[in-house]
């Protein structure tokens, strides 16, 4: 006979496991249920039978409910079976019947448990195991004391074994059964806590179907009510991270989420578990203990918070929740608490959102006090470093708060003093504070003034040579880069006198790594130094700077050197540094030699086409202007052989050699590499194209480069023709008439005056009213030199009579202008010469 025949239980076979009362069924070894045991109202075996005055017996709870309905309906109490009215609703406990029922139930439960023990083996049929598990649940639910019987019969361990079944249904029902068995029973929970059972439950959280996961988390919830088992659950590898994951999941099973959350709440009794939860992203318990715990607990939680990795959203949450408490701890006289608070604040100060919160709750004044205070209870240097780090984080986040408070009351001088008298770690952070202050237009002037007053620039430059601390060197270079637009002369003097520091910057730039922030800052620093400082240029030639820089520029353009984040700024700095060599032609022959050897002119022509990089285009055009101006000195006539004579008598009949292939503008032998000739390098069209640029500085530099073809000493007419062939005349006239900036107008007037010296062009331009109006405006409103040039241009197009045909007229004009302007009467001057 199979075990299912022994049970003869009612089961519907569904996965939900709907259980029906089989107490009326006959089972082997189980006594028959007597009719007297059944309550007429509930149709179930009674637990607390009571008797009415007419002798009828009911379950106490059921008959009391009946009497209440009678009262509510305004009827006298009556017997629900006979409808006989009763004189009283009082009932008498049927003690003998209750004892009989309990004896019967105990005897039958023991028999049923014995049957269950026979079924709960993994080798038995699934249906037998499922029936046995249901039977155990029914017994435990019927009378709570039966858990003692289950526990004594070792059934708990047998049920635990069912968790190893290959059947999802068996494992699910085993979990449900264990839930019923251990509910409210500490001894049963202790048995369940033995061995690897809890580990198995944790595994089910991720490996079971939805219902199995819910049953597993329900059982863990029940176990977590036992303080002794909290540590057990928390110690299981993966338990907390899985539970935290369930609480933050988007599971459609809301019950799983709620039970996982309640389980974690129970586990919060342990500070160690709270810390583990925080490391998995559940921070609220830790923050709650930091707010409301004992001083020891606050110290413990703040210390752990300072060691915790936090994402940006979490930093904001922490700042909003416990930022004020951490600042208060930072103000306390207890050094361990101050240290814990500082380290926690350091963690959350590096993100703009959380830094804003900290600023709003007043973190800056105590930070400054910690840094500068000297006396009893002052912070040790290691903690001043943390304070400096927090201040650097806050200053450098980019948030536009009132940084003026940081530069008042000689605080910059104090920062400079600390930098000179502390170790590398805190020096680095203090330099980062100054980096943040020099990034802000409102405070950079104060920092510059303090550095100039104290003469600290020499000390700051020395950090460039630091090799053992990369962060310190980076911070110093970034600071010097920020200072360079305001202290370029001072920086040039400092670097010119110490080749080692200049060489260190060049070495950083030339490192063979993906382009770094340090390389970009170093290039930016050198690029801001005065371009006409010939002494510094010589130093750079001496350390081989330009060779290394041009190699980097070529590497970036060819895609051999990459670093998307800093590439743009790095390349701009390199090009600006390289351009400075074109200012040294008259003073150092090595400059010309270098530009020839590396074909610098060709590189700058290619850089003109760096679309979207205005600074590079502008600097390249400026460099090409300098190169082009040098062309006239480098271009030379070829060495000609002596003329062929037929004899001394016929020497007058000798013919000169015809020279071909000469440069149209320089009338000598030219090339882009050797003489930097823009015409030979086909740069004119590229420069003309930039005259339409939206950036005025790019247009100005391009126009200046083109104007180098119209300089004195050259054939202006040929220069104009070359520009005209590239459609440059029209663009130059447009620049003049647009009147974009004063400096650009001055450049355009000069170029237009040269162009109008060509009669054919002058006649055509004379018919353009806009050009005439622009020249008249320049003649009336520009500076003295530009007015003179505009006057000459107007004469070319017959807008002003050319009285200068008289040989003494120029002298007369000069004397009159000088006399009138010496009396500060510009109106009279303009009136006279306009006339």
């Amino acid at each position: 006979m199979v075990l299912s025949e022994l049970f003869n239980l009612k089961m519907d076979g569904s996965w939900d496991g709907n259980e029906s009362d089989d107490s009326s069924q006959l089972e082997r070894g189980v006594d028959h249920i007597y009719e007297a045991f059944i309550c007429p109202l509930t149709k179930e075996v009674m637990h607390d039978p009571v008797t009415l005055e007419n002798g009828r017996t009911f379950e106490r709870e059921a008959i009391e409910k009946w009497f209440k309905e009678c009262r509510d309906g305004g009827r006298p109490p009556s017997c629900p079976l006979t409808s006989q009215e009763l004189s009283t609703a009082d009932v008498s406990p049927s003690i003998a019947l209750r004892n009989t029922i309990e004896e019967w139930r105990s005897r039958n439960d023991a028999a049923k448990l014995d049957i269950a023990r026979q079924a709960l083996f993994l080798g038995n049929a699934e249906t037998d195991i499922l029936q046995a598990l249901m039977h155990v649940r029914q017994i435990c639910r019927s009378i709570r004391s039966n858990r003692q019987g289950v526990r004594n019969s070792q059934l708990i361990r047998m049920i635990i074994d069912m968790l190893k079944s290959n059947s999802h249904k068996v494992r699910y029902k085993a979990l449900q059964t264990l839930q019923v068995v251990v509910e409210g029973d500490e001894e049963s929970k202790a048995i369940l806590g033995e061995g690897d059972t809890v580990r198995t439950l944790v595994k089910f959280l991720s490996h079971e179907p939805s219902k199995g996961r819910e049953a597993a988390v329900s059982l863990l919830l029940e176990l977590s009510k036992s303080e002794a088992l909290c540590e057990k659950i928390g110690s299981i590898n993966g338990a907390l991270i899985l539970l935290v994951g369930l609480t933050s999941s988007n599971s459609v099973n809301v019950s799983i989420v709620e039970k996982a959350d309640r389980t974690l709440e129970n586990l919060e009794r342990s500070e160690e578990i709270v810390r583990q939860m925080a490391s998995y992203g559940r921070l609220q318990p830790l923050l709650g203990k930091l707010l409301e715990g004992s001083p020891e607990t606050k110290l413990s939680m703040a210390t752990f918070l300072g060691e915790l990795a936090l994402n940006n959203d979490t930093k904001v949450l922490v700042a909003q929740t416990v930022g004020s408490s951490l600042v208060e701890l930072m103000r306390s006289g207890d050094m361990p608490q101050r240290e814990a608070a500082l380290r926690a604040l350091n963690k959350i100060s590096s993100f703009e959102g959380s830094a804003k919160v900290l600023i709003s709750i007043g973190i800056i004044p105590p930070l400054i006090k910690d840094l500068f205070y000297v006396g009893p209870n002052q912070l040790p240097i290691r903690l001043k470093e943390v304070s400096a780090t927090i201040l650097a984080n806050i200053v450098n986040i980019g948030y536009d708060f009132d940084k003026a408070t940081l530069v008042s009351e000689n605080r910059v001088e104090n920062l400079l003093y600390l930098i000179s008298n502390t170790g590398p770690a805190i020096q680095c952070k203090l330099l980062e504070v100054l980096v943040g202050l020099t990034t802000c237009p409102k405070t950079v002037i104060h920092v510059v003034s303090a550095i100039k007053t104290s003469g600290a620039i020499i000390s700051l430059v020395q950090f460039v040579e630091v090799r053992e601390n990369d962060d310190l060197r980076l911070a110093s270079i970034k600071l010097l880069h920020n200072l360079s637009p305001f202290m370029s002369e001072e920086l040039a003097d400092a670097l010119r006198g110490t080749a080692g520091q200049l060489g260190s910057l060049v070495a950083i730039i030339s490192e063979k790594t993906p382009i770094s922030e340090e390389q970009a800052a170093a290039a930016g620093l050198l690029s801001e130094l005065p371009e006409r400082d010939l002494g510094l240029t010589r130093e750079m030639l001496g350390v081989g700077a330009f060779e290394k820089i041009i190699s980097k520029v070529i590497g970036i353009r060819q895609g051999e050197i990459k670093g998307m984040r800093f590439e743009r700024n790095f390349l701009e700095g390199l090009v600006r540094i390289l351009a400075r060599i074109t200012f040294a032609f008259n003073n150092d022959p090595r400059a010309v030699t270098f530009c020839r050897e590396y074909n610098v002119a060709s590189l700058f022509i290619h850089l003109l086409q760096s679309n979207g990089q205005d600074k590079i285009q502008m600097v390249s055009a400026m460099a090409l202007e300098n190169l082009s101006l040098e062309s006239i000195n480098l271009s030379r006539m070829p060495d000609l052989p002596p003329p062929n004579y037929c004899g001394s008598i016929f020497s007058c009949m000798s013919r000169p050699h015809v020279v071909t292939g000469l440069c149209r503008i320089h009338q000598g032998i030219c090339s882009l590499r050797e003489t930097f000739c823009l015409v030979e390098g086909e740069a004119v069209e590229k420069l003309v194209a930039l005259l339409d640029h939206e950036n005025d500085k790019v247009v100005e530099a391009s126009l200046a480069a083109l104007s180098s073809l119209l300089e004195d000493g050259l054939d202006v007419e040929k220069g104009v023709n070359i520009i005209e062939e590239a459609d440059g005349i029209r663009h130059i006239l447009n620049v003049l008439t647009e009147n974009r900036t004063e400096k650009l107008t001055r450049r355009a007037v000069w170029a237009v005056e040269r162009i109008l010296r060509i009669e054919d062009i002058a006649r055509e331009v004379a018919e353009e009213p806009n050009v005439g109006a622009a020249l008249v405006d320049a003649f009336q409103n520009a500076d003295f030199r530009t007015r003179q040039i505009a006057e000459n241009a107007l004469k070319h197009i017959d807008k002003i009579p050319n009285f200068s045909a008289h040989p003494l007229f120029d002298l007369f004009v000069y004397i009159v202008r000088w006399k009138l302007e010496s009396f500060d009467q510009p109106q009279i001057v303009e009136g006279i010469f306009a006339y």
Side-chain angles (χ1 to χ4, degrees), residues 601 604-609 616-626 628 672 676-679 681-693 698-709 722-723 726-728 731-732 735:
F604 280 122
I605 290 173
H606 286 297
L607 289 170
L608 288 177
Q609 298 171 302
I616 291 178
Q617 291 177 309
M618 176 190 71
V619 172
S620 298
M622 290 172 56
L624 288 171
E625 178 193 8
N626 293 337
S628 180
L672 182 61
F676 320 138
C677 178
L678 299 185
V679 178
E682 300 180 353
V684 177
E685 288 186 1
K686 297 179 178 64
L687 289 167
V688 167
L690 291 180
L691 295 180
D692 276 335
H693 205 286
V698 175
V699 176
E700 181 187 335
S702 302
L703 181 55
L706 289 169
S707 297
S708 68
L709 302 177
I722 290 170
I723 294 174
D727 195 27
H731 287 84
I732 293 174
V735 171

Side-chain angles (χ1 to χ4, degrees), residues 417-443:
Y417 175 80
L418 276 177
I419 290 171
S420 300
N421 293 278
T422 52
I426 190 170
Q427 284 175 332
C428 176
K429 298 306 175 184
L430 294 173
L431 287 172
E432 288 179 5
V433 172
L434 291 178
V435 169
L437 293 176
T438 52
T439 306
C440 173
K442 295 179 182 178
T443 55

Side-chain angles (χ1 to χ4, degrees), residues 790-804 809:
E791 178 183 354
N792 291 334
L794 288 168
K795 290 176 182 178
H796 295 322
I797 57 176
D798 294 330
K799 297 295 182 181
I800 292 180
N802 190 359
F803 296 109
S804 59
F809 181 77

Side-chain angles (χ1 to χ4, degrees), residues 75-141:
R75 306 188 306 274
S78 61
C79 175
L81 291 181
T82 65
S83 300
Q84 173 187 358
E85 287 190 10
L86 303 174
S87 59
T88 178
D90 293 342
V91 295
S92 301
S94 299
I95 296 175
L97 178 59
R98 183 177 64 193
N99 291 339
T100 301
I101 292 173
E102 287 179 355
E103 290 176 4
W104 172 86
R105 180 175 279 112
S106 178
R107 189 169 56 252
N108 281 359
D109 286 348
K112 291 176 181 179
L113 290 176
D114 185 61
I115 296 171
R117 278 196 299 272
Q118 298 176 51
L120 292 177
F121 289 98
L122 291 175
N124 288 332
E126 180 179 302
T127 55
D128 294 342
I129 295 174
L130 294 174
Q131 287 175 344
L133 291 172
M134 184 183 72
H135 212 57
V136 174
R137 292 195 296 276
Q138 288 176 333
I139 293 172
C140 290
R141 286 170 178 160

